[in-house]
Amino acid sequence: MAVQSRMTRMIALLAASVLLALIAAGCTSTSSENKDNAAGKNSESEQKKEVKTVNILMFSDYGRMPGPEDKQMKYVKEQTGIVVNTSTLPWNGGTDFTKGLNVKIAANELPDLFLPQGVEDTLLKQGALLALDDLLPQYAPTLWKAIPQDVWESVRANSPDGKIYFIPRVNLYPRYSSLIRKDWLDKVNMKIPTTKDEYVAVLKAFRDQDPNGNGLMDEIPTSGREAGRWMDDIFLMYGVAMVEGNPVWDLYNNELAYSAVTPNMKAALIFARELYKDKLLDNETFLNKELTWKAKIQQDKVGVWYHVPYGIKQNFFENLPKINPNAYIVGMPVPKVEGFDSFTPRPLINNMEWAIPKSSKNAVEAMKLLEFYAKPENRNFASFGIEGEHYEMKDGKKKRLPISSDQTYLIDLFPVITTEQMAMTLQDQYEPKVAQMMIDAMMVAGRDGKRIAGDGIPISIYDGFPDIKSNKLYQEYMTKIIVGDWPIEKFDEFIQRWKSSGGDEVTKRAREWYAKKK
């Protein structure tokens, strides 16, 4: 309908223009007509010259990248007057993409708009990027306003001169949640725990009362993965800022600090050690590879874990209902511990999504393209794409077609995902029961969510200290303390080793960054 209404307006305008031209023709000489015809030809020629091409480099999850003649790119050109050329590099966890980007940097072949994966610091040091402070509000005001100002301040704090060189990908929806089997709770006649003591009682019931009903003592109350991944809830109970099993930077005693070297971490390790000893925490946690861990959950063996609600179906609920038709997963607020402030982290900044090189001759057009995708009236197109290729109409509603290699990749340059957008996507892609399960878990996580102070901190603070960047020292001490190989007293040794191996210098850099941001 939007396209039809635009076409109607265009036809009306053209008709009015023709009428005016005819009236003018009746009042002018042949000489004037010749001049007007010449001017008209020149105008048409200038319009053709004004059509510009924006080259974009990104990565795709599936399918082939659309070319200028594909339907979705033709539609974009109709609406913006901009030709879009898209290209991609192999991803491989980001490693191959970064390698390919470095090749393009060396050859001075960066496109007009690109994902700066892994090369942010290099480009800043080279002065190769265009500052976007003036361009954003002028040519992409919708995008500018959609991203919170404190996020822009974090981006500014990442650059040496306090300017904006990157457009971040921002997640405004609750990304992480503690997850618990509601059907297991019903089986042991217990409610979702809200305190540490209630949480331990639930874990013991899961261990001892056969909630999966198979007659075997094979239940695992809670589980995580190697290197302490995805067992964040145990640490979050004690106010330890953690993202996907990695300690991160937050405020402790009003100072920015690495959460692994705080008293909160020591208390959390004592608790995790007790859970492990009592077989309430999976004793294979630090051996669990990703697929092994997910398989245990899918096989109706695990009661509590931590992950992303929007991934419940794909990661945990494909096989589980076949084994246990009553299986149901819900979100669990992080249990409270007296003397500590528990929370679920809500990092807003996912990554730096877009950058424009100084060498680009089409920076304004690149910004206008981003603005097109940001405008509310274009979000439906960006979300659903082309009928027959990306979606079909079913009962009067658009329904996304299954992802296939035959499709062109559906381009969406808007780097902000809201809670409403995520809920709509889940409702569109999954059966109602599963979609609602994921949405409810996401909403639970939002209620005790907190943005950590170190959100958006640049990786450059770790320059020269790769072991600190990788959390290697923390993972060694954390693992051996929890499984009982080392006493809890070794935690103080960990702090000293971390500080002396570069932690003090990294902390200094982190606090300088935070001071710039405030």
Side-chain angles (χ1 to χ4, degrees), residues 227-232 242-247 306 471 474-475 478:
R229 298 291 307 283
W230 298 112
M231 47 190 280
D232 303 35
M242 185 167 281
V243 175
E244 299 183 17
N246 296 312
Y306 186 86
N471 296 300
Y474 158 75
Q475 289 168 358
M478 175 269 302

Side-chain angles (χ1 to χ4, degrees), residues 26-327:
C27 303
T28 56
S29 66
T30 305
S31 175
S32 296
E33 287 177 3
N34 291 337
K35 287 179 182 177
D36 287 343
N37 288 339
K41 289 178 181 178
N42 288 337
S43 177
E44 288 176 13
S45 177
E46 285 171 7
Q47 285 179 350
K48 286 180 182 178
K49 288 179 183 177
E50 286 173 2
V51 175
K52 291 198 174 183
T53 298
V54 172
N55 295 300
I56 302 176
L57 178 65
M58 55 196 300
F59 81 94
S60 66
D61 297 316
Y62 68 91
R64 59 183 175 84
M65 297 301 286
E69 296 307 309
D70 282 299
K71 288 182 180 179
Q72 62 168 304
M73 293 296 95
K74 277 187 172 181
Y75 179 77
V76 173
K77 182 186 175 184
E78 288 172 6
Q79 301 302 311
T80 64
I82 298 169
V83 175
V84 180
N85 273 334
T86 59
S87 61
T88 186
L89 290 168
W91 185 245
N92 188 25
T95 303
D96 287 352
F97 193 91
T98 299
K99 287 179 181 177
L101 265 183
N102 280 317
V103 171
K104 289 186 177 292
I105 291 170
N108 196 27
E109 294 178 352
L110 286 173
D112 300 303
L113 189 65
F114 67 98
L115 171 68
Q117 167 70 28
V119 297
E120 299 93 334
D121 200 41
T122 299
L123 292 169
L124 284 175
K125 287 176 180 176
Q126 291 179 354
L129 298 177
L130 188 67
L132 307 176
D133 303 69
D134 296 330
L135 292 174
L136 277 161
Q138 184 174 359
Y139 296 107
T142 308
L143 172 59
W144 172 250
K145 292 173 185 175
I147 294 178
Q149 281 303 306
D150 62 334
V151 171
W152 288 123
E153 292 308 314
S154 293
V155 175
R156 282 193 172 101
N158 288 4
S159 65
D161 57 3
K163 292 184 178 180
I164 296 172
Y165 291 98
F166 301 106
I167 297 170
R169 171 159 290 281
V170 178
N171 295 326
L172 297 180
Y173 65 94
R175 183 172 170 82
Y176 303 104
S177 180
S178 303
L179 302 170
I180 189 168
R181 289 285 299 276
K182 178 65 168 61
D183 55 305
W184 281 23
L185 284 171
D186 294 342
K187 203 77 178 286
V188 300
N189 197 28
M190 298 181 83
K191 295 180 179 180
I192 295 173
T194 60
T195 67
K196 171 190 169 182
D197 290 343
E198 290 176 357
Y199 176 70
V200 172
V202 164
L203 295 185
K204 287 181 177 178
F206 285 175
R207 180 192 63 190
D208 301 334
Q209 297 182 32
D210 190 29
N212 67 13
N214 66 0
L216 304 172
M217 297 287 286
D218 59 351
E219 288 84 356
I220 301 167
T222 189
S223 181
R225 276 169 34 189
E226 59 181 347
R229 298 291 307 283
W230 298 112
M231 47 190 280
D232 303 35
D233 51 328
I234 294 172
F235 297 87
L236 297 172
M237 291 166 63
Y238 289 86
V240 177
M242 185 167 281
V243 175
E244 299 183 17
N246 296 312
V248 291
W249 297 81
D250 201 8
L251 294 180
Y252 295 90
N253 296 322
N254 297 316
E255 279 195 309
L256 193 69
Y258 176 55
S259 65
V261 296
T262 62
N264 304 61
M265 175 60 80
K266 186 173 185 178
L269 288 174
I270 292 172
F271 178 55
R273 182 185 175 98
E274 291 170 355
L275 295 180
Y276 188 91
K277 181 181 178 182
D278 293 339
K279 292 185 169 49
L280 300 177
L281 170 62
D282 185 1
N283 278 196
E284 294 179 344
T285 283
F286 300 105
L287 301 175
N288 284 337
K289 303 287 186 183
E290 177 184 358
L291 293 180
T292 303
W293 180 70
K294 289 179 178 178
K296 288 181 178 181
I297 298 169
Q298 293 266 21
Q299 290 164 4
D300 199 19
K301 297 286 173 45
V302 181
V304 181
W305 66 99
Y306 186 86
H307 212 259
V308 291
Y310 62 81
I312 286 176
K313 170 65 174 177
Q314 178 182 352
N315 294 310
F316 312 117
F317 213 70
E318 290 288 356
N319 189 62
L320 182 57
K322 298 173 186 175
I323 296 175
N324 187 340
N326 296 317

